[in-house]
Amino acid sequence: MTQTTTPTLRLWSIEEWIANHRTLTIGPFEFASWVHRDEVADRPWLLLIHGFPTSSWDWSALWRPLSEQFNLAAIDMLGFGLSDKPRNHQYALVSQADLQEALLAELGVSEAHILCHDYGVSVAQELLARQAEHALSFRLQSVCFLNGGIFPRQHRPRLIQKLALTPLGPVISARLSKEKLRQTFCDIFGPQTPPTSREIDGHWQMMTHNQGKRVFHKTMRYMKDRLVHQHRWESAVTQTDLPLRLINGGKDPISGKHLYTYYRENVPKADSVLLEDIGHYPQTEAPEEVLDAFLAFHGHRA
């Protein structure tokens, strides 16, 4: 890709991000959401769906530049960030997709684009599948994927993720620490774009909010859900006529260049961008490049 001409983008401070959230009650639970709506310009809506184990804060570096082209909506999913983290709950991905529909219904949004990452990729695939089945409450206009388990057999989970799905799950959750989070993130970020201490501190704050450690292993069930819904969710990607783009960090050991290659080989007319030296979190490691690739997908210039 050519060098970006956009200003240097950085995550908001965690304090500023938290200060800008609004609380939304859906069913018995409370959720943290972030919304930007331009009341004058008639702009399309963009739904941003975060990954595991983080929160909507992941999108903050892109929030302001994206708000110049889109109305924006993001929500911390159940078990994540500032939202409720019920201890005795089954954290099914289909329920997280219900949450996205409920958010847009609350905002009165009838059609939207999606930008999603990691765990959020599977949520977006469920929404894609619902649209194909004429069972979606809004019209989905396009989907842009960042690194995630689009094809479960290409997903290469870390050891801690595998162990969390075993009877050792509660022990893994209890022993989770900020230092272990740092070590894991350093392993999955690109070698030239490691997470800063500020990032780790912010992610840890959001993860441990509302006693989040105690449900860490429960939210990991998404890997099982991916296998249960594998055929339906993969078909939603390979058989849709909707515009799709994959922006992939190639150095990601979980869903990096091997996923990019598989995507190009298996998705008809695959539209994909490889960020060769970037890891699992392109939107925070290389926000300028992600912004350029995303806006180009939508026919805009950064």
Side-chain angles (χ1 to χ4, degrees), residues 171-224:
V171 177
I172 297 298
S173 291
R175 293 186 176 180
L176 187 65
S177 67
K178 184 160 60 173
E179 184 53 35
K180 288 181 180 178
L181 177 68
R182 184 190 311 279
Q183 292 170 4
T184 299
F185 271 36
C186 285
D187 288 342
I188 65 175
F189 275 51
Q192 305 304 317
T193 53
T196 65
S197 293
R198 172 174 164 267
E199 287 179 69
I200 298 300
D201 289 346
H203 290 313
W204 183 248
Q205 180 176 337
M206 296 295 258
M207 287 173 62
T208 56
H209 183 79
N210 280 347
Q211 297 182 294
K213 279 180 60 174
R214 68 183 185 179
V215 303
F216 175 78
H217 62 289
K218 289 180 174 287
T219 59
M220 200 77 72
R221 71 162 279 176
Y222 74 90
M223 292 196 294
K224 293 182 178 179

Side-chain angles (χ1 to χ4, degrees), residues 55-207:
S55 68
S56 297
W57 186 49
D58 295 347
W59 302 116
S60 64
L62 299 176
W63 191 263
R64 288 192 178 101
L66 286 175
S67 72
E68 296 174 3
Q69 305 289 349
F70 299 90
N71 291 324
L72 304 176
I75 194 166
D76 284 351
M77 288 181 275
L78 195 68
F80 297 87
L82 301 179
S83 292
D84 280 352
K85 298 171 180 175
R87 190 167 190 172
N88 298 313
H89 186 82
Q90 297 297 318
Y91 288 89
L93 283 168
V94 293
S95 296
Q96 306 286 25
D98 293 342
L99 174 62
Q100 308 302 324
E101 290 199 68
L103 171 63
L104 295 189
E106 178 73 18
L107 296 172
V109 175
S110 60
E111 55 184 26
H113 303 274
I114 287 178
L115 174 60
C116 55
H117 173 241
D118 186 72
Y119 183 99
V121 161
S122 298
V123 176
Q125 286 178 267
E126 170 63 22
L127 296 173
L128 264 173
R130 292 180 187 184
Q131 175 142 307
E133 296 158 358
H134 307 288
L136 190 63
S137 59
F138 66 96
R139 187 171 74 87
L140 187 51
Q141 296 171 287
S142 73
V143 179
C144 183
F145 302 110
L146 301 183
N147 294 52
I150 303 170
F151 299 97
R153 300 298 181 186
Q154 298 302 308
H155 183 243
R156 299 174 181 175
R158 312 303 287 173
L159 177 60
I160 189 173
Q161 293 175 292
K162 295 177 182 179
L163 291 175
L165 289 173
T166 72
L168 291 174
V171 177
I172 297 298
S173 291
R175 293 186 176 180
L176 187 65
S177 67
K178 184 160 60 173
E179 184 53 35
K180 288 181 180 178
L181 177 68
R182 184 190 311 279
Q183 292 170 4
T184 299
F185 271 36
C186 285
D187 288 342
I188 65 175
F189 275 51
Q192 305 304 317
T193 53
T196 65
S197 293
R198 172 174 164 267
E199 287 179 69
I200 298 300
D201 289 346
H203 290 313
W204 183 248
Q205 180 176 337
M206 296 295 258
M207 287 173 62

